Amino acid sequence: MKFWSKITQTLTPYIPGEQLNKTGIIKLNTNENPFPPSPKVIEKIKKCVGSQLKKYPDPESSELKNSIANFYGIETNNVFIGNGSDEVLAHAFMAFFKDKKLYFPNITYSFYPVYCKLYEINCQTIPLNKKLEIDINPYLSLDGNIIFPNPNAPTGIGMNLDAIEEILINNPNNLVVVDEAYIDFGGKSAVELTGKYKNLLIIQTFSKSRSLAGMRIGFAIGNAKLIEGLMRVKDSFNSYPLDRLAQAAGKAAIEDKDYFEYTCDEIIKNREWTMSELKIRGIDFLPSKANFIFVKLEDAENMYKKLKARKILVRYFKKTLIDGYLRISIGTKEEMEILVKNIDQIMGV
Amino acid sequence: MKFWSKITQTLTPYIPGEQLNKTGIIKLNTNENPFPPSPKVIEKIKKCVGSQLKKYPDPESSELKNSIANFYGIETNNVFIGNGSDEVLAHAFMAFFKDKKLYFPNITYSFYPVYCKLYEINCQTIPLNKKLEIDINPYLSLDGNIIFPNPNAPTGIGMNLDAIEEILINNPNNLVVVDEAYIDFGGKSAVELTGKYKNLLIIQTFSKSRSLAGMRIGFAIGNAKLIEGLMRVKDSFNSYPLDRLAQAAGKAAIEDKDYFEYTCDEIIKNREWTMSELKIRGIDFLPSKANFIFVKLEDAENMYKKLKARKILVRYFKKTLIDGYLRISIGTKEEMEILVKNIDQIMGV
């Protein structure tokens, strides 16, 4: 269309997992948390629903920022808040990645190349190794910035902090963004390295381990100058990214550490149970530190379709190297039992 | 900082009005609505606060989109939803304004030049006339796209549809974006022209006339191809811009037409009352079609400071041509009475 900018003409947007919120569907396709948000979150939101919604929210989300800083034992000027981690990522791409080459794994969160198109960033992918792990060797001494998720998506494979530190030490002039969307399910966060390395930015979300995908809250942690860069972009885009209820919900969620730990533990248990059941059946999968398992199947697309016909939604990526896998989110124990039962029936066991 | 992109280095972010939400302050500085959201909005949000917040929201905000389409008697593919109208504006600048020159009034919403810096858009301002109105003559047959608010901000002066139509007819190859943030307080919306003119995009917000500044909801209306352009940018930035509660709140707000009309009428009455009181005192102001009045004073900065000392917050812009004015939002009748009384006391009447 003649009014579209050149960039708009070339965009191929990110496609999120299907959002079929019909009743009776077991939804294991977008890595949501099977547990509801903490009761304290629900209570807090209800308290905030009233006449004050006529007023603008705090543009800085200061109280939420404070609570996140307290949780991690850092300062508030090391925290940036956004409307979901996708918005935080978008701002990071604009704030830091525009002028240099950007490197990321060839198999990873498929939104990264989309941001690159939007902001005209020159990007290059680095292949995973044969085990579908991120091999850190190609990431040492690069001539550009770096982004990768830990654990990686959709493989679920985690990286230890020593490996991340080696990448940081060997790229002093490059920014390294670690996307920790799934870190709370058994991985170790690199937040503790942000004090030591000025070239490290961590991005996290409330959509997975905090059961708040429906409220759109993401954040970044890094040194104060990196946070200031993000603030500059945010304040040139939208002064008030989080509404009043999202700010309140986020604060209550991060302060309820017991509930957070309990629900993460349960999900890890369900993941381990599911992996052991798959193993018994001789079904292969990658070692997961996330709230999903990347499962290898002879005909993954067919299994995806057959599960869908049985009202179980998982994610299938029609993409070279990973089209033999299904990404299955970890639901409740009951949901995982139904999944395994249905796989058995489909495979004719 | 070495990790900041060149653009980030040059950004001078938009600065919103002060958000001093202390008790006892009369806040007439950010054009919020003095009335709470409709009781139906409050009720609807409360119903949605529960376990479903663990699930992603509808990425398309389909139900809200339907309700807006119904309200205006248009199709859903003529509606785009964003996280406040600031986000909708940002996406419009990226989707449509990147490749050509952009024109807007020299006195207008101060976020426009900020977006231009962020997206490296070449912009040129067109002076208001001596009465601080938008004179349409310079806007006929331009060599670039056009954006202006109707009514304009911070003047509050409205433009009639004939004038807008003349701009549209004389710029068939340029996109004209009309920012209708304040249209519901006595102006006439150009939505009815969107069916006829493919070069027209309307942007509106729930922050003013719908009493939902705290929930961050904005939208655009235009022909389906323009909406598709916005969708492409949005889906390359953040799939889920509105959380579940914002979507529900917006739907309930737009469906409660009676409450909307009642509160808009009351604000218009309060505005007319305030203007007549200012007139009695010989205080000059611009004719307003918005929920604020742009008031001319001998020493506007001093009046701003003195009102602030008396816990009345209004907006002062330290900027050539308008530094002799204060922008005063229309509050409740009681708030406007207190304002007038305090102006009297400060002026020693």
Side-chain angles (χ1 to χ4, degrees):
Chain A
M1 195 215 190
K2 71 176 174 184
F3 296 121
W4 289 7
S5 66
K6 276 177 226 144
I7 291 170
T8 306
Q9 316 264 9
T10 66
L11 290 175
T12 44
Y14 173 75
I15 299 159
E18 298 153 275
Q19 290 297 344
L20 289 177
N21 285 323
K22 289 176 196 161
T23 47
I25 284 198
I26 295 180
K27 204 168 163 297
L28 305 174
N29 71 325
T30 51
N31 301 338
E32 288 144 333
N33 199 308
F35 294 98
S38 150
K40 290 178 184 168
V41 170
I42 303 298
E43 201 181 306
K44 181 73 185 292
I45 299 176
K46 282 187 176 160
K47 261 191 198 163
C48 296
V49 181
S51 68
Q52 285 309 303
L53 297 182
K54 71 186 176 185
K55 299 276 188 203
Y56 281 98
D58 173 9
E60 309 287 329
S61 302
S62 309
E63 290 193 34
L64 172 55
K65 212 183 270 188
N66 286 342
S67 297
I68 292 171
N70 284 341
F71 184 87
Y72 283 106
I74 53 176
E75 301 298 319
T76 54
N77 65 359
N78 298 122
V79 184
F80 174 82
I81 311 275
N83 182 34
S85 64
D86 283 343
E87 185 183 79
V88 178
L89 283 164
H91 287 337
F93 274 63
M94 171 62 100
F96 310 121
F97 292 162
K98 272 205 68 98
D99 311 325
K100 273 209 281 192
K101 198 183 269 188
L102 177 67
Y103 292 92
F104 48 80
N106 63 336
I107 302 298
T108 193
Y109 185 31
S110 50
F111 219 133
Y112 300 158
V114 176
Y115 296 127
C116 288
K117 268 211 164 169
L118 183 67
Y119 297 132
E120 300 172 285
I121 295 162
N122 181 10
C123 62
Q124 191 171 320
T125 59
I126 298 178
L128 298 182
N129 69 17
K130 282 186 183 164
K131 290 173 167 173
L132 295 186
E133 298 161 338
I134 295 177
D135 172 4
I136 68 160
N137 286 306
Y139 290 87
L140 307 180
S141 308
L142 283 174
D143 59 341
N145 297 304
I146 298 166
I147 186 168
F148 56 84
N150 182 35
N152 194 17
T155 64
I157 297 173
M159 197 188 278
N160 63 46
L161 290 197
D162 290 346
I164 291 176
E165 211 167 350
E166 214 174 320
I167 294 175
L168 289 166
I169 291 168
N170 285 284
N171 288 280
N173 294 312
N174 301 322
L175 184 66
V176 179
V177 175
V178 183
D179 180 352
E180 294 191 340
Y182 302 105
I183 197 66
D184 296 321
F185 303 105
K188 192 165 186 211
S189 172
V191 164
E192 63 181 73
L193 299 179
T194 55
K196 197 169 168 191
Y197 297 97
K198 286 192 173 166
N199 59 335
L200 172 62
L201 186 77
I202 306 291
I203 295 180
Q204 289 199 11
T205 176
F206 280 63
S207 299
K208 316 295 180 185
S209 57
R210 313 272 171 187
S211 299
L212 282 173
M215 289 307 288
R216 319 308 305 122
I217 310 163
F219 62 97
I221 290 177
N223 88 74
K225 273 292 181 187
L226 291 175
I227 299 306
E228 191 192 329
L230 288 170
M231 289 293 293
R232 279 173 164 242
V233 172
K234 172 245 173 201
D235 285 329
S236 300
F237 178 86
N238 185 0
S239 311
Y240 307 98
L242 261 75
D243 65 49
R244 285 178 171 263
L245 303 182
Q247 292 187 28
K251 183 170 147 66
I254 197 116
E255 288 176 356
D256 194 351
K257 203 174 169 181
D258 288 347
Y259 186 82
F260 162 72
E261 286 175 350
Y262 165 73
T263 50
C264 287
D265 283 350
E266 287 297 308
I267 289 164
I268 292 169
K269 271 189 225 161
N270 291 345
R271 179 185 70 207
E272 300 306 311
W273 179 85
T274 309
M275 294 200 297
S276 69
E277 291 294 314
L278 293 173
K279 204 166 178 182
I280 290 166
R281 287 157 180 81
I283 299 173
D284 217 5
F285 52 85
L286 300 183
S288 171
K289 290 279 179 194
N291 68 338
F292 56 83
I293 315 173
F294 211 43
V295 181
K296 197 170 183 179
L297 292 156
E298 273 197 28
D299 188 345
E301 188 171 16
N302 188 41
M303 179 62 86
Y304 158 75
K305 284 178 184 165
K306 287 194 166 158
L307 285 170
K308 192 174 175 183
R310 288 160 178 260
K311 292 191 167 182
I312 300 173
L313 221 53
V314 300
R315 187 117 196 230
Y316 170 68
F317 300 87
K318 207 172 186 140
K319 193 183 162 179
T320 321
L321 292 175
I322 56 169
D323 55 3
Y325 291 81
L326 291 183
R327 192 193 68 187
I328 302 176
S329 308
I330 303 301
T332 59
K333 181 76 187 290
E334 196 197 349
E335 287 173 329
M336 301 323 282
E337 284 169 354
I338 296 172
L339 169 83
V340 169
K341 207 178 102 190
N342 275 276
I343 290 177
D344 279 348
Q345 289 171 357
I346 292 166
M347 296 182 96
V349 178
Chain B
M1 195 217 190
K2 71 175 174 185
F3 296 120
W4 290 7
S5 66
K6 277 178 224 143
I7 292 169
T8 306
Q9 316 264 7
T10 67
L11 291 176
T12 44
Y14 172 76
I15 299 159
E18 298 155 276
Q19 291 296 344
L20 289 178
N21 284 323
K22 288 175 195 162
T23 48
I25 284 199
I26 295 180
K27 202 167 164 299
L28 305 175
N29 72 326
T30 49
N31 301 337
E32 287 144 333
N33 199 309
F35 294 97
S38 151
K40 289 178 184 167
V41 170
I42 302 297
E43 200 181 306
K44 181 72 185 291
I45 299 176
K46 282 187 176 159
K47 261 191 197 162
C48 296
V49 181
S51 67
Q52 284 309 301
L53 298 182
K54 71 186 177 184
K55 299 277 187 200
Y56 281 98
D58 173 8
E60 310 285 328
S61 302
S62 310
E63 290 193 35
L64 171 55
K65 211 181 272 189
N66 286 342
S67 296
I68 292 172
N70 285 342
F71 184 87
Y72 284 106
I74 53 177
E75 300 298 318
T76 55
N77 65 358
N78 298 121
V79 183
F80 174 82
I81 310 275
N83 182 33
S85 64
D86 284 343
E87 185 183 80
V88 179
L89 283 164
H91 287 336
F93 275 63
M94 171 62 103
F96 310 122
F97 291 162
K98 273 206 66 101
D99 309 325
K100 273 208 280 191
K101 197 183 269 189
L102 177 67
Y103 292 92
F104 48 80
N106 63 335
I107 303 297
T108 194
Y109 186 31
S110 50
F111 218 133
Y112 300 159
V114 175
Y115 296 127
C116 288
K117 267 212 164 167
L118 183 68
Y119 296 132
E120 300 174 284
I121 295 162
N122 181 12
C123 62
Q124 190 172 317
T125 60
I126 298 178
L128 299 183
N129 69 17
K130 282 185 182 164
K131 290 174 168 172
L132 295 186
E133 298 161 338
I134 295 176
D135 172 5
I136 69 161
N137 286 307
Y139 290 87
L140 306 179
S141 308
L142 284 173
D143 60 341
N145 298 304
I146 298 166
I147 185 167
F148 56 85
N150 182 35
N152 194 16
T155 63
I157 298 174
M159 197 188 277
N160 63 45
L161 289 198
D162 290 347
I164 290 175
E165 211 166 349
E166 214 174 320
I167 293 174
L168 289 165
I169 291 168
N170 285 284
N171 288 280
N173 294 314
N174 301 321
L175 184 66
V176 179
V177 175
V178 183
D179 180 352
E180 293 190 339
Y182 303 105
I183 197 66
D184 296 322
F185 303 105
K188 194 166 184 211
S189 172
V191 164
E192 63 180 75
L193 300 178
T194 54
K196 199 170 168 189
Y197 297 98
K198 285 194 173 166
N199 58 334
L200 172 62
L201 186 77
I202 306 291
I203 294 179
Q204 290 199 12
T205 175
F206 280 63
S207 298
K208 316 295 181 185
S209 57
R210 313 272 172 189
S211 298
L212 282 173
M215 289 308 286
R216 321 305 308 120
I217 309 162
F219 61 97
I221 291 177
N223 87 73
K225 272 292 181 186
L226 290 175
I227 300 306
E228 191 192 329
L230 288 170
M231 289 292 293
R232 279 174 165 241
V233 172
K234 172 244 171 201
D235 285 329
S236 300
F237 178 88
N238 184 1
S239 312
Y240 307 97
L242 263 74
D243 64 49
R244 285 177 171 263
L245 303 183
Q247 292 186 30
K251 183 170 148 64
I254 198 119
E255 289 177 354
D256 194 351
K257 204 175 170 182
D258 289 345
Y259 185 82
F260 162 71
E261 286 175 350
Y262 165 73
T263 52
C264 287
D265 283 349
E266 287 297 309
I267 289 163
I268 291 170
K269 272 189 224 159
N270 291 344
R271 179 184 69 206
E272 299 306 312
W273 178 85
T274 309
M275 295 200 298
S276 69
E277 291 294 314
L278 293 173
K279 204 168 180 180
I280 290 166
R281 287 156 179 81
I283 298 173
D284 218 5
F285 52 85
L286 300 182
S288 172
K289 289 279 181 197
N291 68 337
F292 56 84
I293 316 174
F294 210 42
V295 181
K296 197 171 183 176
L297 291 156
E298 274 196 26
D299 189 345
E301 189 171 14
N302 188 40
M303 179 62 87
Y304 158 75
K305 283 178 184 165
K306 286 193 166 159
L307 284 171
K308 192 174 174 183
R310 287 159 179 262
K311 292 191 167 180
I312 299 173
L313 221 53
V314 300
R315 186 119 197 228
Y316 170 68
F317 299 88
K318 206 170 187 143
K319 195 182 161 178
T320 321
L321 293 175
I322 57 168
D323 55 3
Y325 291 82
L326 291 183
R327 192 194 68 187
I328 302 176
S329 307
I330 303 301
T332 59
K333 182 75 187 291
E334 195 197 350
E335 287 173 329
M336 301 323 282
E337 284 169 354
I338 296 172
L339 170 82
V340 170
K341 207 178 101 190
N342 276 275
I343 289 177
D344 279 348
Q345 290 171 356
I346 291 166
M347 296 182 96
V349 177

